[in-house]
Amino acid sequence: MNVSVVLFTADLRLHDHPPLRAASEAREVVPLFVRDKGVTDAGFAVPNRLAFLADCLRDLDGGLRRRGGRLVVRSGDVVEEVCKMAAETDADEVHLAADVSAYAQLRERRLRRALEAEGRRLHVHDTVTTAVTPGDLTPASSDHFAVFTPYFRQWSGVRLRDVLAAPRTVRVPDGVGSEGLPARADLSGVSEGLAAGGEAEGRRRMSAWLRGGIGAYEDRHDDLAGDATSRLSPHLHFGTLSPVELVHRARGAGGPGAEAFVRQIAWRDFHRQVLAARPAAATADYRTKRDRWRSAYAAREDVQAWKEGRTGYPVIDAAMRQLRHEGWMHNRGRLLAASFLAKTLYVDWRVGARHFLDLLVDGDVANNQLNWQWMAGTGTDTRPNRVLNPVTQAKRYDPDGAYVRRWVPELAALDGPAVHEPWKLRGPDRAGLADYPDPVVELSEGLARFKRARARD
């Protein structure tokens, strides 16, 4: 019987998995995951994502074992380890999900060259980590869409492929050696409130969301205290859920909430088609404004206050503390925290993007970097100089202050919207909040500095 290797990367599931389906038809399969030295060397192997990954790998191994197989784990250079595995098992082909980052594109090119030199084939499968293939939709004048609305119009008209069932059996060649599976318990530095990973948990969350949350999504997705988002982003990032299946099932649920949710999945695909076409946007301005950001030395105290959730602006501090505790942050909080750092404090967006990647369990190069650029005004936003006022936004999206009081206990005694402006308290009321800092900058001062920098004053 011929042997195929399936290299799992950001697609850690059995349901709706085109590479596994293609590889397992009348063949033995080596389900392989490589703890990639390149990812570690690049600084992306951070505790929260390693912990979630450990959950995912254990769950994937369990699912394979119930089907007669098992997961094979190796460590090292991903190309070297795949080629070693192909040689050990005399596999004539390797299957891999397409990805869009510069590193993923380089990995694919290296792997293809190495395998072809040995007379083996590499099959790269689209629509495993995206609903629509990056590059399939293009405007007449460019190789990618730079504005979301026309992209979404075309994206909405694409007929998605059918959802594939999980394989009933997986046959793994005898004698294939594997390293032990990593365990969350072996890691330090993991956020205390980090959610559990794995396909079983992802599918449980998806079913609960489709059954009880998606209907109210359009009206409540910005409600900070209500926590009415799906929280499926870590599962999409690690591929324990299929975006194709999620779109199909959301559309099946129907209604305005489902439509708004599907739009967010389209945003995810939009960012991937931008990064696929412009890999440098992970680190360089997509549309430069020639910003002369404050130096690391000049901004050091402000940046530290932002990271610690001690800026003196309660909604910003609440969001940053949620990030540290959960390894996740409400989407509205992400927008506010990014606007505050990049525009109110006028700090290079890359500083914020790196901090997010250090903590976010769903820390995704395309979504994280391009959303930071969107808020910094160097990305695809058609209003690049917009500044989100944290007080106005807090009163709108956390009107009674419940989100702030949850994450900033120093302010728990303040009632209602007063919690959003503690600096306005006087006398003993303000003295009672001695542990909470004054604002690091006046909003008017930050806005004026930003306007001067962008020559908008």
Side-chain angles (χ1 to χ4, degrees):
M1 181 176 287
N2 293 330
V3 177
S4 297
V5 175
V6 176
L7 177 61
F8 286 88
T9 55
D11 51 344
L12 304 177
R13 65 180 185 268
L14 299 178
H15 291 80
D16 196 40
H17 197 283
L20 184 59
R21 168 61 72 87
S24 59
E25 293 179 354
R27 282 175 170 263
E28 289 186 317
V29 178
V30 181
L32 175 66
F33 182 84
V34 177
R35 291 193 281 196
D36 188 359
K37 180 178 180 292
V39 174
T40 302
D41 291 346
F44 288 103
V46 298
N48 284 341
R49 289 197 294 281
L50 287 176
F52 199 91
L53 172 64
D55 293 348
C56 294
L57 295 179
R58 285 182 172 272
D59 186 81
L60 180 59
D61 180 64
L64 287 165
R65 288 181 183 277
R66 287 190 293 274
R67 291 163 173 81
R70 59 190 171 91
L71 182 65
V72 177
V73 177
R74 299 286 177 91
S75 298
D77 176 83
V78 65
V79 173
E80 292 178 6
E81 294 302 322
V82 171
C83 288
K84 285 180 186 177
M85 181 57 66
E88 287 177 27
T89 59
D90 197 25
D92 59 350
E93 61 183 33
V94 174
H95 294 261
L96 170 70
D99 207 343
V100 298
S101 70
Y103 180 77
Q105 293 182 45
L106 176 61
R107 176 182 63 200
E108 180 185 325
R109 292 194 297 271
R110 289 180 59 218
L111 189 54
R112 188 179 299 280
R113 286 197 300 268
L115 290 170
E116 288 180 350
E118 298 174 353
R120 310 182 202 278
R121 298 184 300 277
L122 176 66
H123 300 280
V124 178
H125 298 260
D126 293 321
T127 64
V128 181
T129 63
T130 59
V132 174
T133 303
D136 273 8
L137 305 180
T138 57
S141 58
S142 178
D143 59 353
H144 71 288
F145 279 94
V147 178
F148 175 73
T149 300
Y151 173 81
F152 182 58
R153 193 177 300 119
Q154 285 200 24
W155 185 95
S156 298
V158 173
R159 184 187 183 282
L160 303 185
R161 63 169 177 78
D162 293 335
V163 176
L164 303 174
R168 293 186 177 183
T169 60
V170 177
R171 296 183 293 273
V172 179
D174 294 334
V176 179
S178 174
E179 298 173 5
L181 293 168
R184 179 187 285 227
D186 297 332
L187 295 164
S188 61
V190 177
S191 291
E192 182 180 345
L194 186 73
E199 182 178 15
E201 175 64 12
R203 297 191 72 78
R204 183 194 68 77
R205 282 184 173 270
M206 175 177 67
S207 295
W209 168 247
L210 293 169
R211 186 172 59 249
I214 197 170
Y217 182 74
E218 183 184 37
D219 296 329
R220 299 190 61 210
H221 69 276
D222 278 321
D223 179 358
L224 284 162
D227 196 14
T229 63
S230 72
R231 286 189 176 249
L232 295 178
S233 56
H235 293 280
L236 285 168
H237 174 65
F238 283 90
T240 57
L241 290 179
S242 158
V244 171
E245 181 180 4
L246 198 50
V247 172
H248 275 301
R249 293 190 62 178
R251 285 173 171 167
E259 292 173 7
F261 180 67
V262 167
R263 185 179 178 91
Q264 293 305 308
I265 299 174
W267 265 108
R268 185 174 178 274
D269 276 10
F270 172 75
H271 285 148
R272 276 163 170 68
Q273 59 94 38
V274 172
L275 192 65
R278 299 290 183 272
T283 55
D285 289 348
Y286 177 77
R287 290 173 173 154
T288 183
K289 297 296 182 291
R290 295 179 174 81
D291 286 290
R292 300 182 65 179
W293 305 105
R294 296 169 65 201
S295 70
Y297 180 80
R300 67 192 186 285
E301 293 183 359
D302 288 349
V303 171
Q304 193 60 31
W306 178 81
K307 288 181 178 181
E308 293 176 358
R310 293 188 59 79
T311 67
Y313 289 97
V315 74
I316 304 299
D317 297 340
M320 297 305 293
R321 295 184 195 189
Q322 181 183 27
L323 171 62
R324 187 164 295 278
H325 180 79
E326 294 189 352
W328 185 88
M329 188 193 293
H330 192 288
N331 184 60
R332 177 54 54 174
R334 298 186 198 206
L335 296 176
L336 296 178
S339 175
F340 187 81
L341 184 75
K343 289 177 173 173
T344 302
L345 296 181
Y346 199 56
V347 171
D348 193 330
W349 63 267
R350 283 159 280 243
V351 173
R354 179 67 258 178
H355 182 67
F356 271 31
L357 284 178
D358 285 343
L359 291 173
L360 282 174
V361 65
D362 60 6
D364 178 279
V365 171
N367 268 0
N368 187 66
Q369 308 303 86
L370 291 171
N371 271 319
W372 266 96
Q373 290 226 47
W374 194 89
M375 281 312 310
T378 62
T380 61
D381 187 6
T382 54
R383 293 171 53 200
N385 296 307
R386 78 174 82 200
V387 178
L388 300 182
N389 182 306
V391 176
T392 302
Q393 292 272 310
K395 290 179 178 179
R396 180 176 180 183
Y397 297 116
D398 186 29
D400 67 359
Y403 178 74
V404 165
R405 281 188 290 274
R406 182 184 308 160
W407 294 108
V408 189
E410 305 97 301
L411 304 179
L414 297 182
D415 293 328
V419 76
H420 298 307
E421 299 175 285
W423 59 86
K424 289 187 174 180
L425 298 174
R426 295 291 180 265
D429 290 334
R430 182 65 184 96
L433 304 176
D435 290 340
Y436 189 72
D438 289 327
V440 295
V441 65
E442 293 284 346
L443 294 180
S444 58
E445 176 188 336
L447 181 60
R449 175 172 55 199
F450 176 70
K451 286 184 174 181
R452 287 195 302 271
R454 289 278 175 94
R456 303 286 295 182
D457 57 359

